Amino acid sequence: MSTLLDLHGKHVLLGLTGGIACYKAADLTRELVKAGASVQVVMTESACRFITPVTMQALTGHPVYTDPWDARAGHNMAHIDLPRAADAILVAPASADFIARLAQGRADDLLALLCLARPQSHVDATRRVPLLLAPAMNREMWSHPATQRNVAQAAADGAIVLGPACGEQACGEVGEGRMLEADELRDELIAFFQPKLLAGRRVLVSAGPTFEPIDPVRGITNHSSGKMGFAIARAAQEAGADVTLVAGPVQLATPRHVRRIDVTSAQQMHDAVLPEAPAHDVFVATAAVADWRPARADGRKIKKDGSRKVPALELVENPDILATVARLPAGQRPWCVGFAAESHDLVKHARDKLVRKSVPLIVGNVGPATFGRDDNALVLVDAAGERELAPGPKLALARQLVREIAERIPAKR
Ligand code: C5P
């Protein structure tokens, strides 16, 4: 979901150090460029043994720098000019040796030198050039106390460490030390640039449909792909929140760093949400919860017996999760946002829900126009009035909604 040009206008200095994960750097560069970034590559001598500067120049459209004595920079000071032109420096892969040199403040090649020379002004924070590291190495090298010490030192000096992941390694061993994948690193960078409007907040999101079993093979459900709720979980996490996502049955990947609890029925969603709610500052109920469930779920498949007699389904009402959370006593009650998926009279129904569920904000959308799609249009309804968010990708709308929520929630005590 990165057709949004999320990195438009960002200039990324991508550093490559020696490691087999250099093969992923080509893909990463393409992902960054596709997301709208301009990319300047700087490589260490060892990196050039794994992938050529020719490849990286072709992918970025810019000549690669490898040498501190490179005379192309205006004042012959590539280590000064290159970091000052960047919005962020991302070193991927960052080898054990490079991190060790960084931790010591060494300046023995262009990349280490420019990391040391990057603006970290404690006087003017707006001029700071952040440094992100994506470590990649054998698991023994990663877990070695010397590496752990160096990583901790680099982080204490201001570097942001992304990963590493756990899994199969090029050397044949399995463990922690794999570099994050190109799309994961792209998303980490996108998240890094989002304003941290919900820093220190905890956000609970319900998403997807519920499924109410009739028998072991049939059930009652609602249309819902879960995409809007998952986009909100991702946007809240990008904005710095600690996010818990309670998801009905959907086929979607969990947004990075989001805690996910999977459920099937409305009752299970209720039982998962209720104990979580008091520990959260905000609850966004995007789930399309089934209003009714069969009074009894048959243990065996109901068979046609040839008599053309249709089985009678007795339904009972499901608990209203949002209304229950909104009625929790003050101090245990998160700030609640409800969703209204309607086929007509959107604002009228949204306003009814605002009152009936006593929540401070209802977000309306036209159900049939959005089910399963990547795009949506929203209308925000609260006591002050209505506000339309123009049609766009769900992630873009989710980020706008996060801004609206951040403006409305009470200040943290
Ligand atoms: O009651 P209605 O389905 O019209 O309201 C929709 C809003 O209420 C959504 O935010 C939905 O997630 C929430 N809801 C709920 N539990 C239900 C029904 C709806 O949390 N049983």
Side-chain angles (χ1 to χ4, degrees), residues 206 285-287 289-291 318-322 338-339 353 356-357:
S206 73
T286 66
V289 185
D291 290 319
N318 272 325
D320 190 315
I321 304 164
L322 176 61
F339 261 68
K353 262 173 228 195
R356 183 158 43 86
K357 306 209 179 205

Side-chain angles (χ1 to χ4, degrees), residues 59 64 70 103 117 129 163 240 280 293 353:
L59 291 172
V64 170
D70 194 316
V129 177
H280 290 77
R293 66 173 183 274
K353 262 173 228 195

Side-chain angles (χ1 to χ4, degrees), residues 211-221 264 294 296-305 311 313:
F211 182 89
E212 315 298 325
I214 294 172
D215 66 19
V217 297
R218 306 183 181 91
I220 299 173
T221 189
T264 303
R296 285 164 301 281
D298 238 285
R300 304 177 65 180
K301 183 180 176 189
I302 305 168
K303 303 295 289 178
K304 279 190 283 191
D305 61 6
L313 262 190

Side-chain angles (χ1 to χ4, degrees), residues 251-292:
Q251 304 295 322
L252 294 174
T254 311
R256 291 185 65 69
H257 310 298
V258 165
R259 184 165 72 98
R260 173 172 176 172
I261 302 170
D262 281 318
V263 296
T264 303
S265 67
Q267 187 64 50
Q268 287 170 356
M269 187 172 276
H270 171 275
D271 295 349
V273 164
L274 261 291
E276 292 287 342
H280 290 77
D281 300 294
V282 178
F283 174 43
V284 187
T286 66
V289 185
D291 290 319
W292 304 282

Side-chain angles (χ1 to χ4, degrees), residues 354-374:
L354 193 74
V355 176
R356 183 158 43 86
K357 306 209 179 205
S358 61
V359 295
L361 179 63
I362 290 280
V363 181
N365 55 176
V366 177
T370 177
F371 292 143
R373 298 174 58 111
D374 288 331

Side-chain angles (χ1 to χ4, degrees), residues 118-174:
R118 79 184 193 280
Q120 301 169 74
S121 171
H122 298 290
V123 183
D124 180 4
T126 59
R127 287 190 32 91
R128 268 182 217 158
V129 177
L131 172 62
L132 298 94
L133 303 175
M137 65 198 74
N138 165 271
R139 63 186 176 132
E140 297 290 357
M141 294 169 74
W142 172 252
S143 61
H144 195 287
T147 304
Q148 289 302 309
R149 214 164 41 233
N150 292 332
V151 171
Q153 185 61 58
D157 291 344
I160 294 156
V161 182
L162 308 175
C166 201
E168 276 182 29
Q169 303 205 295
C171 50
E173 295 182 3
V174 178

Side-chain angles (χ1 to χ4, degrees), residues 13 71 122 146 215 231 237 272 277-278 347 411:
L13 194 158
H122 298 290
D215 66 19
Q237 194 281 325
V347 172

